[in-house]
Structure formats: C-alpha cells, structure tokens
Amino acid sequence: MMPASSSPDGLKDSDLLSLPLERYLHEFRGGLLSLPESERDVIVAEVRAQVAAQARLGEGAALALLERLGKPDRLAARFTIRHELSVGVQQSNPFGLFWVLLRLAAGSLLAFVGGFVVIALGLTGLLLAAMPVLRLFVPQDIFVVDDNPFSITVTTDGMPGNGIPLSWGYAILCCGIGIVLVVLAMLLLRGLGQLLLRALGRKTRGVACGAGDGISIMERKGSAKGFSALLQPAMVQGFLFSVSSGIR
C-alpha cells in the first residue's frame, strides 16, 4: 500500500486539502486523545489519505465524504469505543467492558438486553454471596420462608410466622450459588464484548473498491486478537467505507 502522504501524481496529501478539510481532520484527531499516540497517528493518517483520495476528484467529492462520515467528534467516538471494547476483551476487564456496554446500550439491542441480564445475574449473585456475612452480623434479622433456601427475608420486625432463622448451612449454600452467578455474569459480559467487537469487525472486513474512490480491496478474517489488528490501514479504510456507505 502506498504511504498516506504520497500519491501517483507526486502531490502530497497536504497539497490537496483545503482549510475546511484540514479543520475536520484536526477536530477528528482531537477526539482521539484517549487513544495511544501511535494508534492515533495510524488512524489519522489513514483518514487523511482517504480524504485526500477524494480531494483528487475535487473538493466537492471530499466534502461529500466528510458529510457521510458525520461530525468529527462522532467519528472519533466510534474508533475510541471500539478501542475500549477491544482492550476490555483482551484484558478480561469487567468494569471496562461494563462501562462500554452501558454506552452502547442506547443504540444496540444486544448491548441493552445483555447488559440487563448481566446486571440481574451480578446483583443476585452478590446478594447471595453475602449471606454468610449477614448471618454473622445480623442473624436475628434474616430468615428462610417456608424452609426454602431461595425464599430469604431480611426484616427487623421479628421472625415471620412461616419463617425460620437462616442456618449456616443455608448461608454457605447461598454463597456458593452466588459465586457461580457472579462468575456466569462475568463470562457473559466477556462474551458480549466479543460479539460486539466481532460485529464492529464485520464492518471493516470486506471493503468494496473502485477506481473512483481509491479504496483498495482487502479481506481479513475478523477476530478479537487485539486492537492493533483493527488499526491496520486496510481495516481503517474498511471502517471509513462502512460509515460512508451508511452502514451502522
């Protein structure tokens, strides 16, 4: 692939970009400040190359591309959130993944439903895992209703008529079940991260091309092996192509 700063006619990209185009790229780079500098440089260089490729057809074509890409801060946010999602999956960071999931929930049914299930499993698991602690400090306020270990009541109004004090056996059983639920929630969270990352990767995998827009064909097998793979030049081109083609 040709360096982003050169072209067949010998003109540098900077020679082809007008002030509005340079301003867009400057604002776009400003929106990527949370990314490592090396990755930020690769992304900006590729976006600049694609804009310059359109500028060779005329400034109108370049401005039309920017309009399809959307506001620079929103375009930068897409790259940023994909970076955070990839890092969260690689490092198995539940807090980072959950934060990204919350941000994606507004526009993704998978993220919304998956996030709800993760929250339900996690909170239920934490509550059950805390039963031995409650049994230790407030044994007089925690009861099992109808001798059912899954019907536990915490009250300061005295023992219910059909309740018995929570035994240590039930408390330990609940703790074990709670730990299992928390582990399941974390595994589900990581699986959701991988699915969402794969969905984003599909948008960059196949890139249609034509002589008119200067975007080359590149096929790569998508995976969540690392954000560095997603930042290869052809993958960035694919992301830009998918956005400019109206794929969301």
PDB file of all heavy atoms in Angstrom, residues 144-166:
ATOM      1  N   VAL A 144     -35.431 -17.754  56.587  1.00  0.00           N
ATOM      2  CA  VAL A 144     -35.823 -18.555  55.427  1.00  0.00           C
ATOM      3  C   VAL A 144     -37.316 -18.809  55.539  1.00  0.00           C
ATOM      4  O   VAL A 144     -37.808 -19.266  56.569  1.00  0.00           O
ATOM      5  CB  VAL A 144     -35.057 -19.892  55.390  1.00  0.00           C
ATOM      6  CG1 VAL A 144     -35.557 -20.763  54.239  1.00  0.00           C
ATOM      7  CG2 VAL A 144     -33.568 -19.637  55.253  1.00  0.00           C
ATOM      8  N   VAL A 145     -38.049 -18.504  54.479  1.00  0.00           N
ATOM      9  CA  VAL A 145     -39.504 -18.643  54.477  1.00  0.00           C
ATOM     10  C   VAL A 145     -39.880 -19.988  53.873  1.00  0.00           C
ATOM     11  O   VAL A 145     -39.373 -20.381  52.816  1.00  0.00           O
ATOM     12  CB  VAL A 145     -40.160 -17.496  53.674  1.00  0.00           C
ATOM     13  CG1 VAL A 145     -41.681 -17.668  53.645  1.00  0.00           C
ATOM     14  CG2 VAL A 145     -39.776 -16.155  54.272  1.00  0.00           C
ATOM     15  N   ASP A 146     -40.787 -20.686  54.547  1.00  0.00           N
ATOM     16  CA  ASP A 146     -41.299 -21.980  54.075  1.00  0.00           C
ATOM     17  C   ASP A 146     -40.178 -22.993  53.844  1.00  0.00           C
ATOM     18  O   ASP A 146     -40.283 -23.859  52.964  1.00  0.00           O
ATOM     19  CB  ASP A 146     -42.104 -21.806  52.782  1.00  0.00           C
ATOM     20  CG  ASP A 146     -43.368 -20.997  53.012  1.00  0.00           C
ATOM     21  OD1 ASP A 146     -43.922 -21.072  54.126  1.00  0.00           O
ATOM     22  OD2 ASP A 146     -43.783 -20.280  52.075  1.00  0.00           O
ATOM     23  N   ASP A 147     -39.086 -22.884  54.601  1.00  0.00           N
ATOM     24  CA  ASP A 147     -37.971 -23.823  54.512  1.00  0.00           C
ATOM     25  C   ASP A 147     -37.388 -23.902  53.099  1.00  0.00           C
ATOM     26  O   ASP A 147     -36.895 -24.939  52.664  1.00  0.00           O
ATOM     27  CB  ASP A 147     -38.421 -25.223  54.955  1.00  0.00           C
ATOM     28  CG  ASP A 147     -37.222 -26.084  55.376  1.00  0.00           C
ATOM     29  OD1 ASP A 147     -36.191 -25.505  55.779  1.00  0.00           O
ATOM     30  OD2 ASP A 147     -37.324 -27.314  55.274  1.00  0.00           O
ATOM     31  N   ASN A 148     -37.488 -22.785  52.384  1.00  0.00           N
ATOM     32  CA  ASN A 148     -36.984 -22.703  51.011  1.00  0.00           C
ATOM     33  C   ASN A 148     -35.745 -21.800  51.000  1.00  0.00           C
ATOM     34  O   ASN A 148     -35.858 -20.605  51.271  1.00  0.00           O
ATOM     35  CB  ASN A 148     -38.065 -22.125  50.089  1.00  0.00           C
ATOM     36  CG  ASN A 148     -37.614 -22.083  48.627  1.00  0.00           C
ATOM     37  OD1 ASN A 148     -36.458 -22.305  48.311  1.00  0.00           O
ATOM     38  ND2 ASN A 148     -38.555 -21.786  47.750  1.00  0.00           N
ATOM     39  N   PRO A 149     -34.566 -22.338  50.693  1.00  0.00           N
ATOM     40  CA  PRO A 149     -33.352 -21.527  50.749  1.00  0.00           C
ATOM     41  C   PRO A 149     -33.349 -20.369  49.760  1.00  0.00           C
ATOM     42  O   PRO A 149     -32.525 -19.461  49.873  1.00  0.00           O
ATOM     43  CB  PRO A 149     -32.244 -22.535  50.429  1.00  0.00           C
ATOM     44  CG  PRO A 149     -32.912 -23.642  49.702  1.00  0.00           C
ATOM     45  CD  PRO A 149     -34.291 -23.718  50.283  1.00  0.00           C
ATOM     46  N   PHE A 150     -34.249 -20.411  48.765  1.00  0.00           N
ATOM     47  CA  PHE A 150     -34.309 -19.320  47.794  1.00  0.00           C
ATOM     48  C   PHE A 150     -35.376 -18.287  48.168  1.00  0.00           C
ATOM     49  O   PHE A 150     -35.608 -17.345  47.420  1.00  0.00           O
ATOM     50  CB  PHE A 150     -34.588 -19.883  46.398  1.00  0.00           C
ATOM     51  CG  PHE A 150     -33.519 -20.828  45.923  1.00  0.00           C
ATOM     52  CD1 PHE A 150     -33.750 -22.192  45.901  1.00  0.00           C
ATOM     53  CD2 PHE A 150     -32.271 -20.359  45.523  1.00  0.00           C
ATOM     54  CE1 PHE A 150     -32.769 -23.082  45.480  1.00  0.00           C
ATOM     55  CE2 PHE A 150     -31.287 -21.238  45.097  1.00  0.00           C
ATOM     56  CZ  PHE A 150     -31.531 -22.602  45.079  1.00  0.00           C
ATOM     57  N   SER A 151     -36.041 -18.493  49.298  1.00  0.00           N
ATOM     58  CA  SER A 151     -37.020 -17.519  49.803  1.00  0.00           C
ATOM     59  C   SER A 151     -36.489 -16.949  51.116  1.00  0.00           C
ATOM     60  O   SER A 151     -36.856 -17.395  52.210  1.00  0.00           O
ATOM     61  CB  SER A 151     -38.392 -18.185  50.011  1.00  0.00           C
ATOM     62  OG  SER A 151     -38.894 -18.684  48.795  1.00  0.00           O
ATOM     63  N   ILE A 152     -35.611 -15.986  50.987  1.00  0.00           N
ATOM     64  CA  ILE A 152     -34.930 -15.407  52.139  1.00  0.00           C
ATOM     65  C   ILE A 152     -35.468 -14.000  52.385  1.00  0.00           C
ATOM     66  O   ILE A 152     -35.638 -13.212  51.459  1.00  0.00           O
ATOM     67  CB  ILE A 152     -33.413 -15.365  51.909  1.00  0.00           C
ATOM     68  CG1 ILE A 152     -32.879 -16.790  51.722  1.00  0.00           C
ATOM     69  CG2 ILE A 152     -32.695 -14.676  53.058  1.00  0.00           C
ATOM     70  CD1 ILE A 152     -31.418 -16.851  51.344  1.00  0.00           C
ATOM     71  N   THR A 153     -35.769 -13.720  53.632  1.00  0.00           N
ATOM     72  CA  THR A 153     -36.303 -12.422  54.018  1.00  0.00           C
ATOM     73  C   THR A 153     -35.386 -11.772  55.046  1.00  0.00           C
ATOM     74  O   THR A 153     -34.934 -12.426  55.992  1.00  0.00           O
ATOM     75  CB  THR A 153     -37.711 -12.568  54.624  1.00  0.00           C
ATOM     76  OG1 THR A 153     -38.579 -13.134  53.650  1.00  0.00           O
ATOM     77  CG2 THR A 153     -38.255 -11.220  55.065  1.00  0.00           C
ATOM     78  N   VAL A 154     -35.117 -10.510  54.823  1.00  0.00           N
ATOM     79  CA  VAL A 154     -34.364  -9.713  55.802  1.00  0.00           C
ATOM     80  C   VAL A 154     -35.315  -8.676  56.368  1.00  0.00           C
ATOM     81  O   VAL A 154     -35.856  -7.846  55.634  1.00  0.00           O
ATOM     82  CB  VAL A 154     -33.141  -9.033  55.155  1.00  0.00           C
ATOM     83  CG1 VAL A 154     -32.382  -8.197  56.193  1.00  0.00           C
ATOM     84  CG2 VAL A 154     -32.214 -10.071  54.539  1.00  0.00           C
ATOM     85  N   THR A 155     -35.579  -8.731  57.673  1.00  0.00           N
ATOM     86  CA  THR A 155     -36.537  -7.831  58.298  1.00  0.00           C
ATOM     87  C   THR A 155     -36.133  -7.548  59.737  1.00  0.00           C
ATOM     88  O   THR A 155     -35.494  -8.392  60.385  1.00  0.00           O
ATOM     89  CB  THR A 155     -37.956  -8.431  58.263  1.00  0.00           C
ATOM     90  OG1 THR A 155     -38.853  -7.539  58.939  1.00  0.00           O
ATOM     91  CG2 THR A 155     -38.000  -9.793  58.916  1.00  0.00           C
ATOM     92  N   THR A 156     -36.485  -6.386  60.188  1.00  0.00           N
ATOM     93  CA  THR A 156     -36.231  -6.014  61.594  1.00  0.00           C
ATOM     94  C   THR A 156     -37.502  -6.095  62.424  1.00  0.00           C
ATOM     95  O   THR A 156     -37.513  -5.680  63.587  1.00  0.00           O
ATOM     96  CB  THR A 156     -35.658  -4.583  61.661  1.00  0.00           C
ATOM     97  OG1 THR A 156     -36.577  -3.672  61.056  1.00  0.00           O
ATOM     98  CG2 THR A 156     -34.308  -4.504  60.961  1.00  0.00           C
ATOM     99  N   ASP A 157     -38.584  -6.631  61.830  1.00  0.00           N
ATOM    100  CA  ASP A 157     -39.878  -6.708  62.517  1.00  0.00           C
ATOM    101  C   ASP A 157     -40.099  -8.047  63.213  1.00  0.00           C
ATOM    102  O   ASP A 157     -41.232  -8.364  63.594  1.00  0.00           O
ATOM    103  CB  ASP A 157     -41.018  -6.465  61.521  1.00  0.00           C
ATOM    104  CG  ASP A 157     -40.956  -5.065  60.930  1.00  0.00           C
ATOM    105  OD1 ASP A 157     -40.448  -4.159  61.624  1.00  0.00           O
ATOM    106  OD2 ASP A 157     -41.393  -4.886  59.773  1.00  0.00           O
ATOM    107  N   GLY A 158     -39.076  -8.822  63.362  1.00  0.00           N
ATOM    108  CA  GLY A 158     -39.234 -10.116  64.010  1.00  0.00           C
ATOM    109  C   GLY A 158     -39.417 -11.227  63.001  1.00  0.00           C
ATOM    110  O   GLY A 158     -39.616 -11.000  61.804  1.00  0.00           O
ATOM    111  N   MET A 159     -39.384 -12.459  63.478  1.00  0.00           N
ATOM    112  CA  MET A 159     -39.477 -13.617  62.590  1.00  0.00           C
ATOM    113  C   MET A 159     -40.886 -13.764  62.038  1.00  0.00           C
ATOM    114  O   MET A 159     -41.867 -13.723  62.780  1.00  0.00           O
ATOM    115  CB  MET A 159     -39.077 -14.885  63.350  1.00  0.00           C
ATOM    116  CG  MET A 159     -39.101 -16.145  62.476  1.00  0.00           C
ATOM    117  SD  MET A 159     -38.347 -17.581  63.296  1.00  0.00           S
ATOM    118  CE  MET A 159     -39.268 -17.614  64.833  1.00  0.00           C
ATOM    119  N   PRO A 160     -40.992 -13.935  60.675  1.00  0.00           N
ATOM    120  CA  PRO A 160     -42.321 -14.167  60.085  1.00  0.00           C
ATOM    121  C   PRO A 160     -42.921 -15.460  60.627  1.00  0.00           C
ATOM    122  O   PRO A 160     -42.218 -16.353  61.112  1.00  0.00           O
ATOM    123  CB  PRO A 160     -42.015 -14.291  58.580  1.00  0.00           C
ATOM    124  CG  PRO A 160     -40.669 -13.670  58.398  1.00  0.00           C
ATOM    125  CD  PRO A 160     -39.923 -13.902  59.677  1.00  0.00           C
ATOM    126  N   GLY A 161     -44.245 -15.574  60.507  1.00  0.00           N
ATOM    127  CA  GLY A 161     -44.932 -16.739  61.041  1.00  0.00           C
ATOM    128  C   GLY A 161     -44.487 -18.037  60.417  1.00  0.00           C
ATOM    129  O   GLY A 161     -44.458 -19.082  61.070  1.00  0.00           O
ATOM    130  N   ASN A 162     -44.162 -18.009  59.104  1.00  0.00           N
ATOM    131  CA  ASN A 162     -43.759 -19.231  58.404  1.00  0.00           C
ATOM    132  C   ASN A 162     -42.259 -19.241  58.128  1.00  0.00           C
ATOM    133  O   ASN A 162     -41.793 -19.928  57.230  1.00  0.00           O
ATOM    134  CB  ASN A 162     -44.526 -19.377  57.089  1.00  0.00           C
ATOM    135  CG  ASN A 162     -44.349 -18.154  56.201  1.00  0.00           C
ATOM    136  OD1 ASN A 162     -43.910 -17.090  56.655  1.00  0.00           O
ATOM    137  ND2 ASN A 162     -44.717 -18.295  54.935  1.00  0.00           N
ATOM    138  N   GLY A 163     -41.489 -18.493  58.911  1.00  0.00           N
ATOM    139  CA  GLY A 163     -40.061 -18.412  58.676  1.00  0.00           C
ATOM    140  C   GLY A 163     -39.251 -19.045  59.781  1.00  0.00           C
ATOM    141  O   GLY A 163     -39.717 -19.247  60.895  1.00  0.00           O
ATOM    142  N   ILE A 164     -38.027 -19.394  59.442  1.00  0.00           N
ATOM    143  CA  ILE A 164     -37.068 -19.921  60.411  1.00  0.00           C
ATOM    144  C   ILE A 164     -35.763 -19.145  60.238  1.00  0.00           C
ATOM    145  O   ILE A 164     -35.479 -18.644  59.145  1.00  0.00           O
ATOM    146  CB  ILE A 164     -36.817 -21.428  60.213  1.00  0.00           C
ATOM    147  CG1 ILE A 164     -36.286 -21.702  58.799  1.00  0.00           C
ATOM    148  CG2 ILE A 164     -38.073 -22.234  60.483  1.00  0.00           C
ATOM    149  CD1 ILE A 164     -35.881 -23.144  58.563  1.00  0.00           C
ATOM    150  N   PRO A 165     -34.962 -19.013  61.289  1.00  0.00           N
ATOM    151  CA  PRO A 165     -33.680 -18.308  61.147  1.00  0.00           C
ATOM    152  C   PRO A 165     -32.793 -18.982  60.103  1.00  0.00           C
ATOM    153  O   PRO A 165     -32.801 -20.205  59.935  1.00  0.00           O
ATOM    154  CB  PRO A 165     -33.072 -18.404  62.546  1.00  0.00           C
ATOM    155  CG  PRO A 165     -34.249 -18.620  63.461  1.00  0.00           C
ATOM    156  CD  PRO A 165     -35.224 -19.437  62.680  1.00  0.00           C
ATOM    157  N   LEU A 166     -32.071 -18.161  59.390  1.00  0.00           N
ATOM    158  CA  LEU A 166     -31.158 -18.688  58.368  1.00  0.00           C
ATOM    159  C   LEU A 166     -30.031 -19.470  59.045  1.00  0.00           C
ATOM    160  O   LEU A 166     -29.312 -18.944  59.900  1.00  0.00           O
ATOM    161  CB  LEU A 166     -30.566 -17.528  57.546  1.00  0.00           C
ATOM    162  CG  LEU A 166     -29.593 -17.929  56.431  1.00  0.00           C
ATOM    163  CD1 LEU A 166     -30.325 -18.641  55.303  1.00  0.00           C
ATOM    164  CD2 LEU A 166     -28.852 -16.708  55.903  1.00  0.00           C
TER     165      LEU A 166
END
